[in-house]
Amino acid sequence: MPRNAIDSSRRFRRRTVRILVDYMGPDGVRCDYATTLGAGGLFIETEEPLRADALVKLRFRLSDEADLHEIQGRVVWGRRLEEGGRPHAPGMGIQFTDSVGCSALARELEDFSA
Protein backbone atom coordinates (compact mmCIF):
# COMPACT_ATOMS: atom_id res chain seq x y z
CA MET A 1 0.00 0.00 0.00
CA PRO A 2 1.40 3.47 -0.83
CA ARG A 3 2.49 5.54 2.17
CA ASN A 4 0.04 8.31 1.38
CA ALA A 5 -2.97 5.97 1.29
CA ILE A 6 -5.19 5.77 4.35
CA ASP A 7 -4.29 2.73 6.40
CA SER A 8 -7.50 1.56 8.04
CA SER A 9 -5.59 -1.07 10.01
CA ARG A 10 -4.06 1.56 12.31
CA ARG A 11 -4.92 0.91 15.93
CA PHE A 12 -4.85 4.60 16.94
CA ARG A 13 -6.19 7.67 15.17
CA ARG A 14 -3.48 10.07 14.04
CA ARG A 15 -3.55 13.84 14.33
CA THR A 16 -1.70 16.49 12.38
CA VAL A 17 0.45 18.43 14.84
CA ARG A 18 3.56 20.59 14.98
CA ILE A 19 5.23 19.87 18.29
CA LEU A 20 8.88 20.01 19.23
CA VAL A 21 10.29 16.62 20.23
CA ASP A 22 13.59 16.03 22.04
CA TYR A 23 14.85 12.53 21.45
CA MET A 24 17.88 10.50 22.42
CA GLY A 25 19.11 8.06 19.82
CA PRO A 26 22.31 6.10 19.28
CA ASP A 27 24.21 9.25 18.23
CA GLY A 28 23.05 11.59 21.02
CA VAL A 29 20.26 14.09 21.65
CA ARG A 30 18.33 15.69 18.79
CA CYS A 31 15.44 18.11 18.60
CA ASP A 32 13.01 18.13 15.64
CA TYR A 33 9.31 18.62 14.95
CA ALA A 34 6.69 15.88 14.93
CA THR A 35 4.03 16.48 12.29
CA THR A 36 1.68 13.58 12.97
CA LEU A 37 0.93 11.96 16.32
CA GLY A 38 -1.21 9.15 17.64
CA ALA A 39 -1.21 7.13 20.85
CA GLY A 40 0.86 4.47 19.07
CA GLY A 41 3.58 6.61 17.53
CA LEU A 42 4.56 9.72 15.60
CA PHE A 43 6.33 11.02 12.51
CA ILE A 44 9.39 13.19 13.12
CA GLU A 45 10.41 15.46 10.27
CA THR A 46 14.20 15.36 9.92
CA GLU A 47 16.70 15.37 7.09
CA GLU A 48 18.77 12.77 8.96
CA PRO A 49 16.46 9.91 9.95
CA LEU A 50 17.85 7.23 12.24
CA ARG A 51 18.20 3.68 10.95
CA ALA A 52 15.22 1.33 11.17
CA ASP A 53 14.98 -0.50 14.52
CA ALA A 54 16.98 2.19 16.35
CA LEU A 55 15.68 2.68 19.90
CA VAL A 56 14.85 6.22 21.01
CA LYS A 57 13.70 8.02 24.14
CA LEU A 58 11.33 10.88 23.33
CA ARG A 59 10.17 13.93 25.32
CA PHE A 60 7.39 16.31 24.23
CA ARG A 61 4.30 18.26 25.30
CA LEU A 62 1.04 18.62 23.38
CA SER A 63 0.87 22.27 24.44
CA ASP A 64 2.69 24.67 26.75
CA GLU A 65 0.31 23.81 29.59
CA ALA A 66 0.26 20.05 28.97
CA ASP A 67 2.11 17.30 30.83
CA LEU A 68 5.60 16.34 29.66
CA HIS A 69 5.50 12.94 27.96
CA GLU A 70 8.60 10.77 28.17
CA ILE A 71 8.10 7.71 25.99
CA GLN A 72 10.39 5.07 24.57
CA GLY A 73 10.05 4.03 20.96
CA ARG A 74 11.60 2.34 17.96
CA VAL A 75 12.21 3.67 14.45
CA VAL A 76 9.94 1.69 12.12
CA TRP A 77 10.90 3.40 8.85
CA GLY A 78 12.78 6.40 7.53
CA ARG A 79 12.89 8.32 4.28
CA ARG A 80 15.17 10.92 2.83
CA LEU A 81 14.13 13.91 0.73
CA GLU A 82 15.32 12.44 -2.56
CA GLU A 83 13.68 9.01 -2.21
CA GLY A 84 10.97 8.03 -4.67
CA GLY A 85 11.63 10.78 -7.20
CA ARG A 86 8.91 13.07 -5.85
CA PRO A 87 9.04 15.68 -3.12
CA HIS A 88 7.93 14.69 0.37
CA ALA A 89 8.90 15.48 3.90
CA PRO A 90 11.99 13.57 5.00
CA GLY A 91 11.82 11.92 8.37
CA MET A 92 11.06 8.79 10.31
CA GLY A 93 8.11 6.91 11.71
CA ILE A 94 8.45 6.03 15.39
CA GLN A 95 6.37 3.34 17.10
CA PHE A 96 6.03 3.76 20.85
CA THR A 97 7.18 0.73 22.85
CA ASP A 98 6.25 2.03 26.32
CA SER A 99 2.70 0.84 27.16
CA VAL A 100 2.40 3.03 30.27
CA GLY A 101 3.51 6.12 28.35
CA CYS A 102 1.13 5.25 25.50
CA SER A 103 -1.82 5.01 27.91
CA ALA A 104 -1.09 8.41 29.42
CA LEU A 105 -0.71 9.96 25.98
CA ALA A 106 -3.93 8.34 24.71
CA ARG A 107 -5.86 9.84 27.65
CA GLU A 108 -4.40 13.29 27.01
CA LEU A 109 -5.09 13.08 23.27
CA GLU A 110 -8.74 12.26 24.00
CA ASP A 111 -9.01 15.22 26.39
CA PHE A 112 -7.11 17.44 23.95
CA SER A 113 -9.57 16.75 21.10
CA ALA A 114 -12.71 17.01 23.24
Side-chain angles (χ1 to χ4, degrees):
M1 175 184 324
R3 277 212 201 283
N4 59 357
I6 296 175
D7 183 354
S8 60
S9 66
R10 286 194 187 275
R11 188 169 156 204
F12 300 102
R13 191 174 89 200
R14 301 181 78 187
R15 291 170 175 76
T16 300
V17 296
R18 183 146 180 91
I19 56 174
L20 204 53
V21 178
D22 295 330
Y23 57 102
M24 169 77 80
D27 61 345
V29 177
R30 294 186 184 185
C31 187
D32 288 300
Y33 283 97
T35 57
T36 59
L37 172 67
L42 51 72
F43 174 75
I44 294 179
E45 202 169 283
T46 178
E47 292 186 15
E48 297 180 17
L50 300 174
R51 65 173 170 69
D53 289 325
L55 299 177
V56 292
K57 293 181 183 179
L58 307 119
R59 293 172 23 129
F60 59 90
R61 295 178 193 272
L62 296 182
S63 69
D64 290 343
E65 301 82 33
D67 291 338
L68 177 66
H69 292 279
E70 296 186 60
I71 301 177
Q72 295 183 13
R74 165 179 79 79
V75 177
V76 179
W77 57 268
R79 67 178 176 212
R80 299 201 178 272
L81 185 62
E82 66 278 359
E83 286 180 15
R86 60 179 214 270
H88 56 264
M92 57 189 166
I94 308 287
Q95 179 180 34
F96 299 140
T97 58
D98 176 356
S99 60
V100 174
C102 286
S103 295
L105 177 60
R107 284 190 301 276
E108 188 170 344
L109 285 170
E110 286 303 313
D111 292 344
F112 191 70
S113 64

